[in-house]
Amino acid sequence: MTHRTDDGEGVRLASLLAAPPPARGRTWLTNARLFDAVDGSIREGAAVLVEDGTVVRVGDAAEPPPDGAAVIDAAGRTVLPGLIDAHAHVYPHLPEPEHGVEPLWPGTGAHILAADLRDALRMGITTLRDVGSYGDLVFEVRQAMRYGALRGPRLLTCGRIISATAPGGRWFDGMYREADGVDDVRRAVREQLRRGADFVKVMTTGARSVELEDPDPAQMTRAEIATVVDEAHRMGYRVAAHAEGLDGTEIAIETGIDTIEHGMYLNQRPDLLERMAAGGQVLVPTLSCFYGVAGTAAPDDDEAGLAPAPDAEPPPTWSPLLVDLAMSHLEQAERTLQAARAAGVPIAAGHDWAPISDLGVEIVRMVRHGLSAREALVAATATAASALGLGDRVGTIEPGRLADLLVVDGDPLERPEVLRDPARIWLVVQLGAPVAGVALERDPAGGASPAPAPTALD
């Protein structure tokens, strides 16, 4: 493929330009159980030296602190790379005022989205890939982060999703750029890059969340999809495909699209999974979207149906047709997850639901439906980073990577659910700066913080 590789040469991503400045100085994070996202192993008694926002060495806790380094004692807690959500829709979910209450002001959504992004960072999510939002708010909030108005995850966006003229354009007004014919499609790609998109997303099939759309046949012609890929890759950008039905999924894979989003019917085409594995194309299975539409109809941990699972969704509010489809799609997605794993297809985690701070629930569900906890954590770190084209910068804890770190009070390999518990998120480090977590929070009643000094945590 001719598109941008992980070294980032040839293209300047707006998401990287908007990053906050790295923390200056040296930090020695020691006495840690370090999760190696390269192979999924645990290194006991590890230490990490961070300098000017970058990991410079992974050492041993028995070593003395390097000269001039602030010391953070992890006290045996688990240290992971910052989590990466490869499939998020970054827009505010606005409240519905009661009758008689003043209507929402036009700018209220921006404040709600800012709070959502802060919550995501608080839960250890240091990178988010927005695969479709409404209007320009995602660009605006990213620019606000650039100028220090708030701190949130590194934020990649596709801008408008490129789609054929289709029913989904009525449902998702302001999220799609409808285009027909190869010339219009090429222009649509260029428009997104002009607006500051970090990658391009295309609807190769219809959406399961729209009654009038069927996943088959492909929503766009092979020539149109190939044009999206050609123009994006020519300019050095990656492409993500909304791919549900097999016709569009097959075209997406054959035209070299980098990430296949959903792809739940791929278990029926082992040849396509083999092709993905050979080409390094990444599957983002998005199990949580099926749970979300199906609501409490989704399977839970109690086979007798006596109690909902801890991650049960509220009762379904979607049409009965779509609820039934979501149940069927979840079964297919489970089979595809297991088949993709067996075929050696790279798998990245993507929540595809709200709130954007709960990537942990997708990790839990990936384990429930066929991955080991180690594999699910790799999917939410190293593989997700590679899928976004940032594998040389984030996703692993090794020399040269940006110091995006998550320190967890507990063992996510034994209980991935700890990633959903704010009380277990002990420390979040972004570009070397401690930015969130229990270690930085003080009890409003006056209790002592676990962080007795700004330069040392123990």
Side-chain angles (χ1 to χ4, degrees), residues 4 6-8 16 389-396 400-403:
R4 185 180 65 89
D6 280 352
D7 62 12
L16 299 180
L390 300 178
D392 65 319
R393 289 179 167 86
V394 294
T396 58
R401 299 300 188 268
L402 300 178

Side-chain angles (χ1 to χ4, degrees), residues 129-165:
R129 183 176 68 154
D130 167 55
V131 293
S133 53
Y134 295 99
D136 297 324
L137 193 53
V138 67
F139 291 107
E140 294 170 4
V141 75
R142 184 169 70 187
Q143 190 173 77
M145 288 194 289
R146 178 174 189 169
Y147 291 108
L150 71 145
R151 191 141 192 168
R154 184 175 297 102
L155 185 54
L156 288 77
T157 183
C158 66
R160 301 284 198 275
I161 304 170
I162 297 172
S163 165
T165 300

Side-chain angles (χ1 to χ4, degrees), residues 25-217:
R26 310 177 90 191
T27 300
W28 181 246
L29 175 63
T30 188
N31 196 14
R33 299 178 70 248
L34 189 144
F35 176 73
D36 187 340
V38 176
D39 60 10
S41 65
I42 285 286
R43 178 172 173 175
E44 301 285 353
V48 180
L49 177 61
V50 175
E51 187 167 344
D52 294 339
T54 300
V55 175
V56 296
R57 183 162 64 87
V58 176
D60 193 285
E63 300 177 44
D67 291 341
V71 177
I72 298 177
D73 185 354
R77 296 177 176 90
T78 305
V79 179
L80 307 89
L83 301 179
I84 300 171
D85 189 343
H87 190 116
H89 291 280
V90 183
Y91 60 86
H93 292 262
L94 300 176
E96 183 68 36
E98 296 176 338
H99 293 296
V101 174
E102 65 172 346
L104 296 178
W105 289 96
T108 300
H111 297 281
I112 292 174
L113 182 56
D116 290 342
L117 289 166
R118 292 188 190 99
D119 288 345
L121 186 62
R122 172 61 178 78
M123 293 304 295
I125 301 168
T126 53
T127 302
L128 275 169
R129 183 176 68 154
D130 167 55
V131 293
S133 53
Y134 295 99
D136 297 324
L137 193 53
V138 67
F139 291 107
E140 294 170 4
V141 75
R142 184 169 70 187
Q143 190 173 77
M145 288 194 289
R146 178 174 189 169
Y147 291 108
L150 71 145
R151 191 141 192 168
R154 184 175 297 102
L155 185 54
L156 288 77
T157 183
C158 66
R160 301 284 198 275
I161 304 170
I162 297 172
S163 165
T165 300
R170 295 171 55 204
W171 267 256
F172 304 114
D173 186 29
M175 184 180 288
Y176 288 2
R177 169 32 167 115
E178 292 178 318
D180 301 297
V182 295
D183 289 339
D184 197 19
V185 163
R186 193 177 297 276
R187 180 178 180 83
V189 171
R190 293 174 177 177
E191 287 174 358
Q192 307 324 304
L193 302 183
R194 177 180 183 269
R195 299 171 72 233
D198 302 278
F199 67 102
V200 174
K201 184 182 177 186
V202 59
M203 298 292 293
T204 63
T205 75
R208 74 204 171 280
S209 53
V210 175
E211 281 188 325
L212 294 182
E213 288 192 346
D214 195 298
D216 282 318

Side-chain angles (χ1 to χ4, degrees), residues 7 18 59 81 89 112 124 129-130 149 168 241 345 368 379 381 400 411 442-443:
D7 62 12
H89 291 280
I112 292 174
R129 183 176 68 154
D130 167 55
V345 175
R368 173 181 298 163
T381 53
D411 187 354
R442 292 188 177 272
D443 183 349

Side-chain angles (χ1 to χ4, degrees), residues 127-431:
T127 302
L128 275 169
R129 183 176 68 154
D130 167 55
V131 293
S133 53
Y134 295 99
D136 297 324
L137 193 53
V138 67
F139 291 107
E140 294 170 4
V141 75
R142 184 169 70 187
Q143 190 173 77
M145 288 194 289
R146 178 174 189 169
Y147 291 108
L150 71 145
R151 191 141 192 168
R154 184 175 297 102
L155 185 54
L156 288 77
T157 183
C158 66
R160 301 284 198 275
I161 304 170
I162 297 172
S163 165
T165 300
R170 295 171 55 204
W171 267 256
F172 304 114
D173 186 29
M175 184 180 288
Y176 288 2
R177 169 32 167 115
E178 292 178 318
D180 301 297
V182 295
D183 289 339
D184 197 19
V185 163
R186 193 177 297 276
R187 180 178 180 83
V189 171
R190 293 174 177 177
E191 287 174 358
Q192 307 324 304
L193 302 183
R194 177 180 183 269
R195 299 171 72 233
D198 302 278
F199 67 102
V200 174
K201 184 182 177 186
V202 59
M203 298 292 293
T204 63
T205 75
R208 74 204 171 280
S209 53
V210 175
E211 281 188 325
L212 294 182
E213 288 192 346
D214 195 298
D216 282 318
Q219 189 182 83
M220 303 179 78
T221 67
R222 181 179 294 270
E224 289 171 328
I225 295 170
T227 298
V228 171
V229 179
D230 175 71
E231 186 61 20
H233 284 181
R234 185 182 72 82
M235 296 300 295
Y237 292 83
R238 295 186 176 227
V239 183
H242 174 99
E244 298 191 48
L246 282 172
D247 289 350
T249 304
E250 180 176 17
I251 296 173
I253 294 169
E254 291 180 347
T255 55
I257 288 180
D258 304 282
T259 65
I260 304 300
E261 316 294 314
H262 317 301
M264 57 273 200
Y265 294 112
L266 278 166
N267 66 88
Q268 301 174 19
R269 290 288 303 275
D271 59 310
L272 293 180
L273 289 173
E274 291 173 3
R275 184 163 182 162
M276 288 182 66
Q281 292 165 296
V282 180
L283 174 67
V284 188
T286 65
L287 301 173
S288 292
C289 64
F290 309 122
Y291 275 86
V293 175
T296 52
D300 59 46
D301 289 329
D302 187 336
E303 294 182 1
L306 299 177
D311 61 317
E313 298 286 343
T317 58
W318 298 70
S319 78
L321 168 64
L322 295 178
V323 171
D324 290 344
L325 281 173
M327 289 293 295
S328 174
H329 290 165
L330 181 57
E331 293 175 4
Q332 292 293 322
E334 176 180 85
R335 295 172 189 169
T336 292
L337 180 66
Q338 296 171 7
R341 175 182 182 270
V345 175
I347 297 169
H351 182 204
D352 195 20
W353 208 248
I356 57 174
S357 58
D358 198 9
L359 179 60
V361 76
E362 180 70 14
I363 294 170
V364 169
R365 288 165 175 167
M366 293 176 88
V367 174
R368 173 181 298 163
H369 290 284
L371 298 189
S372 69
R374 295 176 188 273
E375 290 167 334
L377 291 175
V378 170
T381 53
T383 307
S386 180
L388 275 54
L390 300 178
D392 65 319
R393 289 179 167 86
V394 294
T396 58
I397 303 173
E398 54 186 325
R401 299 300 188 268
L402 300 178
D404 286 0
L405 309 173
L406 168 60
V407 186
V408 179
D409 197 356
D411 187 354
L413 291 174
E414 291 294 326
R415 292 191 66 249
E417 294 84 359
V418 301
L419 297 173
R420 304 189 66 208
D421 184 354
R424 298 299 191 106
I425 306 300
W426 189 74
L427 187 65
V428 181
V429 176
Q430 185 185 49
L431 290 167

